[in-house]
Amino acid sequence: MQFNELFASDSGDDNMNDESDGYSSATNSSFDEDEMSNGTDAMETFEITSGGYYDIGDPVIECQYCGANMWYSERKNKCCHASNPKFSMCCGSGKVQLPLLKLAPKVLQHLLFDNESCESKNFQQQIRMYNVMFAFTSPGAKVDNRFNNGRCPPNFRIQGQSCHRIGSMLPMSGQNPRFAQLYVYDTENEIENRMHGFRSKSGVDVNIVRKLSEMLYEHNVHAQSFRMARDRLCEEGVSDLKLRLISERRNDGRIYNQPTVSEVAALIVGDVDAAEKRDIIVQKQCGELQRIDEYHTSYLGYQYPLLFPYGEDGYRPNVRHRDKGTNIRHFTDITQSEQNNKDIPWEEATKRNRLTIREWLAFRIQSRSNEAQTLLRSRRLYQQFLVDGFTMMESERLRWLRKNQSKLRVGKYHNLNEYNSNGETHGSNTGKRVVLPSSYVGSRRYMDQLYFDGMAICSYVGFPDFFITFTCNPNWPEIQRLLGSVHLKASDCPDIISRVFKIKFDELLSDLTKKSLLGKVLAYMYTIEFQKRELPHAHILIFLHPSNKYPTPSDIDRIISAEIPDQDTNEELYNLVKTHMIHGPCGFANRSSPCMKDGKCSKYFPKQFQPETIVDQDGFPVYRRRDNGHTVLKNGIQVDNRNVVSYNAKLLTKYQAHINMEWCNQSTSIKYLFKYINKGYDRITAAIVPNDDGTSNQPQNIDEIKQYINCRYVSPSEASWRIFSFPIHGRKPAVERLYFHCEGQNSVYYTDFDRINTVLEKPSVTESMFTSWFEANCKYPEAQNLTYNKFVYVKKKREWKPRQKGYTIGRLIWVPPTTGELYYLRLMFTHVKGPRSYNDIKTVNNVKYDTFRDACFAMGFIGDDREFIAAIKEANHWGSGQYLRLLFVHMLLSGSINRPRHVWSKTCHLLADGILYAQQRIANNRGIIFPIL
């Protein structure tokens, strides 16, 4: 039994993350279960209209636990119809219990919900500016406004890290008061001071500012606490006054979220006594800003006084989940020990019984008939809140990684034995640091591993057949019905956009995989991304069964069209193509189109007329675009078939959105296709980090967590998608990464404070997935003749056992020839079946060799530089042409190649991969052709 043929899964699922933490990354559905019944059911709220459109209905079902308004398609168990559906997206099926927000003061209700008066319209348009005027803290984030140019809906998009800062109670001499200082300094001229703090006052109504000021002083507990400090400062004889902003709360967070002044602030005269570590001590006067901890209970209340007009508490880190046995939507009495939040430190609280930031946010952004809509109806300020909330989520997890990576170390078993014998006793003196692992969803390593997994699927089931891009349509009737009734636009509610898109995407995936709309599907993979104009879209790769391929141009024409339909015979499809599948117009007709680069369309539109579909020499399809006189009027410009984006008529009719379908071919373009769909989030392409001396050379110490944060862009739709714990990647079948090592080189995990001899005494220190494979070959005689999908590795027990159901694909980790014996070990065990030890792998024709390299030579694997040719060919399955060329250069520099010209002659067609494409991109001309040497 080969190691790379051994792995199988009990369930076939590949859930790589804990969904309770809001970082779900993969979903894999079984193909033999129907999520949606073909019959009618009274609980089904969606319908297929006469034209074929898939309408999901309205969110008319209330969660039985928290009362959130949900779509029936969002129910927890989708494989069957339920008369009493349960939902987990809002409150985790009842485990999350929080107090509901009460109605805002009448002034704020008028400004938010009155859509007739000029005053309310002004407030709704400038709500972010009004909020900043009364915010107690300053936001620290780089706002990206490049796309708020009038051509796209307005959105709040930040780059880098977000944080909140607060200064002293009084400004320094000669400086103007800002943020919380406006509640303390020169309050007789407070309105003028607030107006003076903005360079552009156009559109700001002084009467609105005055009303909001009076409202906050009357109702907001934080404004009252700063007014208390102001009154004390006005007293004579107070020289050293400080204000403590208290983070700890004594009452239960499941019942109370509106504190009193004494609970949020305290005045201190003189030295500061012992305080909770997240408390904020505001000095009387200093020129420094201090950062507020994301776990501070009033973190959001200080930044968003108009969203939380009473100063309600935000996320609290030690709130327990709902107790078992409590009444639904009613909380019974709790014990005194549960009320005392200090019984169990929040750092020690597990995710199973303590509220997370993601759960708090997911609960808060739900619409309920018995809860105030202040937060959800705040338009652009709501966008900012979502982005801020998501950065809180990321900070929570990244903080854990940074804190624990400083302790967690990994070393080789053989090396630890040497350190122990040399007198090194503590783990802090050995090992290597891990910065941002591939387990962190969205990291560069995470996306790279998904790419390798995709190539493994491609190697197992063949090349993909279709590449589909599905983009959200903000004008879907469901969105317009829901938001039109409350006078909101789609851009004002990115959470609704994400939820509707998720429902429709699940149905699309079901159509493709379960209902076999395009044919029987063997495998699929998808990635969810977010456009710069704030719309989620999915990239989907479909692998069809060999009996359902579309090999000829006539077959392609049956499912893919790049033409405008006849308006007289199919008016509905004609209008859908006109609305969703017309590119541009661009080129000479519209030089300001976003696709224009250096005076030409970067997508190569308009295309040429094509009488029949063909496949060009690079394997790309050239779809039929006949000059049949069919045209549409787009943005005042008449366009024809040359501007049509390829589509499938059935999918376009059912989903009424931009659904681009492309036919794939067995060519080298497959690698770049996988690279594209696993490129990850939108981020800066490069970052220059200065050294200590101020130069911009490459730094000695690389902080990958900091680089990830600084280069990252975050937008409201992506934030809401992640808050709801929707997956960003999925695939079927699952892929398991198979690790191997030389003898004594298995990884051992330990902490800084572990003694090495104690680590070495652990029974599991010599065990690994690879060594357990040897034991399985000894334990199961049938393992000698088995291949894929017959065994499963149980990580907790560190053993292999026969598979019960499902299957996965095993992917061996690739290693370069420069790794020496590890590389030759990999060569050997891909051909040796059923070995029970390392010696069995080294044995060829009953002769045991000393090294794996000698065994490979005896097998005929190496010699005449064949191992280097094989390495380049194997790397070609997943590496780009640039990587292959770098690999070849490293081989040359190592001096280990005997005949470099021979290696070049055997691999030159692979090493030249991508050069022609790069030259075509530089010249913006797909017609450039040159022969490969």
Side-chain angles (χ1 to χ4, degrees), residues 561-589:
S561 175
E563 295 182 325
I564 300 171
D566 191 322
Q567 186 177 11
D568 297 330
T569 59
N570 199 339
E571 183 178 3
E572 181 187 17
L573 185 60
Y574 174 87
N575 292 328
L576 290 174
V577 172
K578 174 182 177 181
T579 304
H580 303 291
M581 306 308 300
I582 299 297
H583 176 82
C586 61
F588 294 105

mmCIF file of all heavy atoms in Angstrom, residues 561-589:
data_model
loop_
_atom_site.group_PDB
_atom_site.id
_atom_site.type_symbol
_atom_site.label_atom_id
_atom_site.label_comp_id
_atom_site.label_asym_id
_atom_site.label_seq_id
_atom_site.Cartn_x
_atom_site.Cartn_y
_atom_site.Cartn_z
ATOM 1 N N SER A 561 -23.120 30.692 -25.014
ATOM 2 C CA SER A 561 -23.434 31.631 -26.092
ATOM 3 C C SER A 561 -22.724 32.947 -25.833
ATOM 4 O O SER A 561 -22.535 33.347 -24.682
ATOM 5 C CB SER A 561 -24.941 31.864 -26.195
ATOM 6 O OG SER A 561 -25.227 32.860 -27.157
ATOM 7 N N ALA A 562 -22.309 33.593 -26.914
ATOM 8 C CA ALA A 562 -21.698 34.917 -26.824
ATOM 9 C C ALA A 562 -22.368 35.852 -27.818
ATOM 10 O O ALA A 562 -21.724 36.705 -28.430
ATOM 11 C CB ALA A 562 -20.192 34.834 -27.091
ATOM 12 N N GLU A 563 -23.697 35.677 -27.977
ATOM 13 C CA GLU A 563 -24.446 36.467 -28.938
ATOM 14 C C GLU A 563 -25.688 37.060 -28.284
ATOM 15 O O GLU A 563 -26.202 36.539 -27.282
ATOM 16 C CB GLU A 563 -24.851 35.605 -30.139
ATOM 17 C CG GLU A 563 -23.682 35.101 -30.960
ATOM 18 C CD GLU A 563 -24.148 34.294 -32.162
ATOM 19 O OE1 GLU A 563 -25.177 33.582 -32.050
ATOM 20 O OE2 GLU A 563 -23.486 34.368 -33.207
ATOM 21 N N ILE A 564 -26.190 38.125 -28.899
ATOM 22 C CA ILE A 564 -27.421 38.770 -28.438
ATOM 23 C C ILE A 564 -28.609 37.999 -28.995
ATOM 24 O O ILE A 564 -28.688 37.753 -30.201
ATOM 25 C CB ILE A 564 -27.464 40.230 -28.903
ATOM 26 C CG1 ILE A 564 -26.268 41.009 -28.343
ATOM 27 C CG2 ILE A 564 -28.770 40.897 -28.492
ATOM 28 C CD1 ILE A 564 -26.120 42.407 -28.918
ATOM 29 N N PRO A 565 -29.544 37.560 -28.159
ATOM 30 C CA PRO A 565 -30.703 36.810 -28.664
ATOM 31 C C PRO A 565 -31.607 37.676 -29.534
ATOM 32 O O PRO A 565 -31.512 38.912 -29.537
ATOM 33 C CB PRO A 565 -31.426 36.375 -27.374
ATOM 34 C CG PRO A 565 -30.454 36.592 -26.271
ATOM 35 C CD PRO A 565 -29.552 37.707 -26.699
ATOM 36 N N ASP A 566 -32.466 37.016 -30.232
ATOM 37 C CA ASP A 566 -33.444 37.717 -31.060
ATOM 38 C C ASP A 566 -34.507 38.320 -30.148
ATOM 39 O O ASP A 566 -35.158 37.626 -29.372
ATOM 40 C CB ASP A 566 -34.091 36.735 -32.044
ATOM 41 C CG ASP A 566 -34.915 37.459 -33.107
ATOM 42 O OD1 ASP A 566 -35.576 38.462 -32.765
ATOM 43 O OD2 ASP A 566 -34.903 37.012 -34.265
ATOM 44 N N GLN A 567 -34.700 39.613 -30.255
ATOM 45 C CA GLN A 567 -35.644 40.303 -29.378
ATOM 46 C C GLN A 567 -37.081 39.888 -29.632
ATOM 47 O O GLN A 567 -37.903 39.853 -28.706
ATOM 48 C CB GLN A 567 -35.500 41.821 -29.544
ATOM 49 C CG GLN A 567 -36.338 42.627 -28.570
ATOM 50 C CD GLN A 567 -36.117 44.124 -28.715
ATOM 51 O OE1 GLN A 567 -35.481 44.579 -29.674
ATOM 52 N NE2 GLN A 567 -36.625 44.885 -27.763
ATOM 53 N N ASP A 568 -37.400 39.534 -30.857
ATOM 54 C CA ASP A 568 -38.775 39.190 -31.192
ATOM 55 C C ASP A 568 -39.169 37.809 -30.667
ATOM 56 O O ASP A 568 -40.308 37.609 -30.210
ATOM 57 C CB ASP A 568 -38.976 39.239 -32.714
ATOM 58 C CG ASP A 568 -38.761 40.639 -33.268
ATOM 59 O OD1 ASP A 568 -39.032 41.617 -32.522
ATOM 60 O OD2 ASP A 568 -38.298 40.767 -34.421
ATOM 61 N N THR A 569 -38.245 36.870 -30.697
ATOM 62 C CA THR A 569 -38.569 35.504 -30.293
ATOM 63 C C THR A 569 -38.261 35.216 -28.826
ATOM 64 O O THR A 569 -38.839 34.299 -28.249
ATOM 65 C CB THR A 569 -37.805 34.497 -31.165
ATOM 66 O OG1 THR A 569 -36.386 34.739 -31.021
ATOM 67 C CG2 THR A 569 -38.201 34.656 -32.633
ATOM 68 N N ASN A 570 -37.358 35.947 -28.221
ATOM 69 C CA ASN A 570 -36.981 35.700 -26.822
ATOM 70 C C ASN A 570 -36.671 37.046 -26.155
ATOM 71 O O ASN A 570 -35.518 37.384 -25.893
ATOM 72 C CB ASN A 570 -35.778 34.764 -26.740
ATOM 73 C CG ASN A 570 -35.641 34.129 -25.364
ATOM 74 O OD1 ASN A 570 -36.175 34.634 -24.370
ATOM 75 N ND2 ASN A 570 -34.913 33.028 -25.299
ATOM 76 N N GLU A 571 -37.725 37.796 -25.898
ATOM 77 C CA GLU A 571 -37.546 39.148 -25.367
ATOM 78 C C GLU A 571 -36.944 39.135 -23.961
ATOM 79 O O GLU A 571 -36.121 39.989 -23.627
ATOM 80 C CB GLU A 571 -38.886 39.882 -25.361
ATOM 81 C CG GLU A 571 -38.772 41.330 -24.898
ATOM 82 C CD GLU A 571 -40.096 42.056 -24.945
ATOM 83 O OE1 GLU A 571 -41.113 41.411 -25.290
ATOM 84 O OE2 GLU A 571 -40.117 43.270 -24.630
ATOM 85 N N GLU A 572 -37.348 38.167 -23.143
ATOM 86 C CA GLU A 572 -36.830 38.128 -21.769
ATOM 87 C C GLU A 572 -35.321 37.906 -21.751
ATOM 88 O O GLU A 572 -34.580 38.617 -21.067
ATOM 89 C CB GLU A 572 -37.526 37.028 -20.965
ATOM 90 C CG GLU A 572 -37.028 36.957 -19.510
ATOM 91 C CD GLU A 572 -37.587 35.767 -18.762
ATOM 92 O OE1 GLU A 572 -38.080 34.835 -19.418
ATOM 93 O OE2 GLU A 572 -37.520 35.763 -17.521
ATOM 94 N N LEU A 573 -34.835 36.914 -22.497
ATOM 95 C CA LEU A 573 -33.399 36.655 -22.548
ATOM 96 C C LEU A 573 -32.660 37.827 -23.178
ATOM 97 O O LEU A 573 -31.536 38.167 -22.763
ATOM 98 C CB LEU A 573 -33.129 35.364 -23.319
ATOM 99 C CG LEU A 573 -31.671 34.898 -23.365
ATOM 100 C CD1 LEU A 573 -31.142 34.642 -21.966
ATOM 101 C CD2 LEU A 573 -31.544 33.639 -24.230
ATOM 102 N N TYR A 574 -33.277 38.458 -24.170
ATOM 103 C CA TYR A 574 -32.679 39.640 -24.803
ATOM 104 C C TYR A 574 -32.436 40.740 -23.763
ATOM 105 O O TYR A 574 -31.352 41.337 -23.709
ATOM 106 C CB TYR A 574 -33.591 40.137 -25.919
ATOM 107 C CG TYR A 574 -33.157 41.450 -26.550
ATOM 108 C CD1 TYR A 574 -32.259 41.470 -27.606
ATOM 109 C CD2 TYR A 574 -33.652 42.667 -26.070
ATOM 110 C CE1 TYR A 574 -31.866 42.678 -28.178
ATOM 111 C CE2 TYR A 574 -33.272 43.867 -26.628
ATOM 112 C CZ TYR A 574 -32.373 43.872 -27.690
ATOM 113 O OH TYR A 574 -31.977 45.072 -28.238
ATOM 114 N N ASN A 575 -33.424 40.999 -22.923
ATOM 115 C CA ASN A 575 -33.280 42.047 -21.906
ATOM 116 C C ASN A 575 -32.258 41.664 -20.835
ATOM 117 O O ASN A 575 -31.536 42.523 -20.313
ATOM 118 C CB ASN A 575 -34.634 42.327 -21.257
ATOM 119 C CG ASN A 575 -35.610 42.981 -22.210
ATOM 120 O OD1 ASN A 575 -35.219 43.744 -23.100
ATOM 121 N ND2 ASN A 575 -36.896 42.693 -22.052
ATOM 122 N N LEU A 576 -32.178 40.363 -20.494
ATOM 123 C CA LEU A 576 -31.207 39.924 -19.504
ATOM 124 C C LEU A 576 -29.780 40.064 -20.021
ATOM 125 O O LEU A 576 -28.882 40.500 -19.295
ATOM 126 C CB LEU A 576 -31.481 38.473 -19.112
ATOM 127 C CG LEU A 576 -32.747 38.228 -18.296
ATOM 128 C CD1 LEU A 576 -32.978 36.732 -18.111
ATOM 129 C CD2 LEU A 576 -32.660 38.930 -16.952
ATOM 130 N N VAL A 577 -29.562 39.698 -21.269
ATOM 131 C CA VAL A 577 -28.231 39.874 -21.864
ATOM 132 C C VAL A 577 -27.868 41.350 -21.936
ATOM 133 O O VAL A 577 -26.740 41.756 -21.642
ATOM 134 C CB VAL A 577 -28.185 39.215 -23.262
ATOM 135 C CG1 VAL A 577 -26.890 39.564 -23.973
ATOM 136 C CG2 VAL A 577 -28.346 37.708 -23.147
ATOM 137 N N LYS A 578 -28.830 42.167 -22.295
ATOM 138 C CA LYS A 578 -28.591 43.609 -22.368
ATOM 139 C C LYS A 578 -28.209 44.175 -21.002
ATOM 140 O O LYS A 578 -27.329 45.048 -20.900
ATOM 141 C CB LYS A 578 -29.846 44.302 -22.894
ATOM 142 C CG LYS A 578 -29.772 45.819 -22.893
ATOM 143 C CD LYS A 578 -31.080 46.432 -23.379
ATOM 144 C CE LYS A 578 -31.034 47.952 -23.304
ATOM 145 N NZ LYS A 578 -32.317 48.559 -23.766
ATOM 146 N N THR A 579 -28.858 43.692 -19.956
ATOM 147 C CA THR A 579 -28.632 44.241 -18.618
ATOM 148 C C THR A 579 -27.364 43.709 -17.980
ATOM 149 O O THR A 579 -26.629 44.457 -17.331
ATOM 150 C CB THR A 579 -29.832 43.917 -17.714
ATOM 151 O OG1 THR A 579 -31.019 44.422 -18.319
ATOM 152 C CG2 THR A 579 -29.658 44.548 -16.342
ATOM 153 N N HIS A 580 -27.072 42.403 -18.155
ATOM 154 C CA HIS A 580 -26.026 41.769 -17.354
ATOM 155 C C HIS A 580 -24.801 41.304 -18.131
ATOM 156 O O HIS A 580 -23.744 41.132 -17.523
ATOM 157 C CB HIS A 580 -26.606 40.550 -16.617
ATOM 158 C CG HIS A 580 -27.771 40.865 -15.748
ATOM 159 N ND1 HIS A 580 -27.661 41.614 -14.589
ATOM 160 C CD2 HIS A 580 -29.092 40.527 -15.857
ATOM 161 C CE1 HIS A 580 -28.853 41.725 -14.022
ATOM 162 N NE2 HIS A 580 -29.728 41.076 -14.776
ATOM 163 N N MET A 581 -24.905 41.071 -19.429
ATOM 164 C CA MET A 581 -23.822 40.386 -20.135
ATOM 165 C C MET A 581 -23.184 41.221 -21.240
ATOM 166 O O MET A 581 -22.508 40.674 -22.110
ATOM 167 C CB MET A 581 -24.343 39.057 -20.728
ATOM 168 C CG MET A 581 -25.018 38.134 -19.725
ATOM 169 S SD MET A 581 -24.015 37.801 -18.247
ATOM 170 C CE MET A 581 -22.578 37.044 -18.945
ATOM 171 N N ILE A 582 -23.355 42.509 -21.213
ATOM 172 C CA ILE A 582 -22.712 43.392 -22.185
ATOM 173 C C ILE A 582 -21.507 44.063 -21.534
ATOM 174 O O ILE A 582 -21.632 44.701 -20.484
ATOM 175 C CB ILE A 582 -23.688 44.459 -22.724
ATOM 176 C CG1 ILE A 582 -24.869 43.791 -23.428
ATOM 177 C CG2 ILE A 582 -22.964 45.409 -23.673
ATOM 178 C CD1 ILE A 582 -24.488 42.990 -24.651
ATOM 179 N N HIS A 583 -20.354 43.886 -22.137
ATOM 180 C CA HIS A 583 -19.144 44.528 -21.612
ATOM 181 C C HIS A 583 -19.063 45.961 -22.109
ATOM 182 O O HIS A 583 -19.264 46.245 -23.269
ATOM 183 C CB HIS A 583 -17.900 43.772 -22.080
ATOM 184 C CG HIS A 583 -16.620 44.431 -21.646
ATOM 185 N ND1 HIS A 583 -16.077 44.257 -20.400
ATOM 186 C CD2 HIS A 583 -15.785 45.289 -22.296
ATOM 187 C CE1 HIS A 583 -14.961 44.956 -20.292
ATOM 188 N NE2 HIS A 583 -14.766 45.592 -21.441
ATOM 189 N N GLY A 584 -18.709 46.844 -21.173
ATOM 190 C CA GLY A 584 -18.523 48.244 -21.533
ATOM 191 C C GLY A 584 -19.820 49.014 -21.640
ATOM 192 O O GLY A 584 -20.679 48.898 -20.755
ATOM 193 N N PRO A 585 -19.961 49.790 -22.726
ATOM 194 C CA PRO A 585 -19.062 49.947 -23.868
ATOM 195 C C PRO A 585 -17.729 50.601 -23.468
ATOM 196 O O PRO A 585 -17.656 51.370 -22.517
ATOM 197 C CB PRO A 585 -19.845 50.856 -24.828
ATOM 198 C CG PRO A 585 -21.248 50.821 -24.349
ATOM 199 C CD PRO A 585 -21.183 50.584 -22.880
ATOM 200 N N CYS A 586 -16.705 50.245 -24.217
ATOM 201 C CA CYS A 586 -15.376 50.800 -23.975
ATOM 202 C C CYS A 586 -14.730 51.090 -25.317
ATOM 203 O O CYS A 586 -15.404 51.159 -26.341
ATOM 204 C CB CYS A 586 -14.547 49.817 -23.145
ATOM 205 S SG CYS A 586 -14.284 48.211 -23.930
ATOM 206 N N GLY A 587 -13.419 51.262 -25.316
ATOM 207 C CA GLY A 587 -12.707 51.559 -26.548
ATOM 208 C C GLY A 587 -12.943 52.990 -27.005
ATOM 209 O O GLY A 587 -13.052 53.921 -26.198
ATOM 210 N N PHE A 588 -13.059 53.169 -28.318
ATOM 211 C CA PHE A 588 -13.262 54.507 -28.856
ATOM 212 C C PHE A 588 -14.600 55.095 -28.428
ATOM 213 O O PHE A 588 -14.752 56.303 -28.325
ATOM 214 C CB PHE A 588 -13.178 54.473 -30.395
ATOM 215 C CG PHE A 588 -11.812 54.125 -30.906
ATOM 216 C CD1 PHE A 588 -11.557 52.868 -31.429
ATOM 217 C CD2 PHE A 588 -10.775 55.039 -30.844
ATOM 218 C CE1 PHE A 588 -10.303 52.531 -31.897
ATOM 219 C CE2 PHE A 588 -9.513 54.707 -31.309
ATOM 220 C CZ PHE A 588 -9.263 53.459 -31.835
ATOM 221 N N ALA A 589 -15.579 54.222 -28.158
ATOM 222 C CA ALA A 589 -16.903 54.707 -27.758
ATOM 223 C C ALA A 589 -16.913 55.268 -26.344
ATOM 224 O O ALA A 589 -17.717 56.141 -26.017
ATOM 225 C CB ALA A 589 -17.932 53.592 -27.889
#
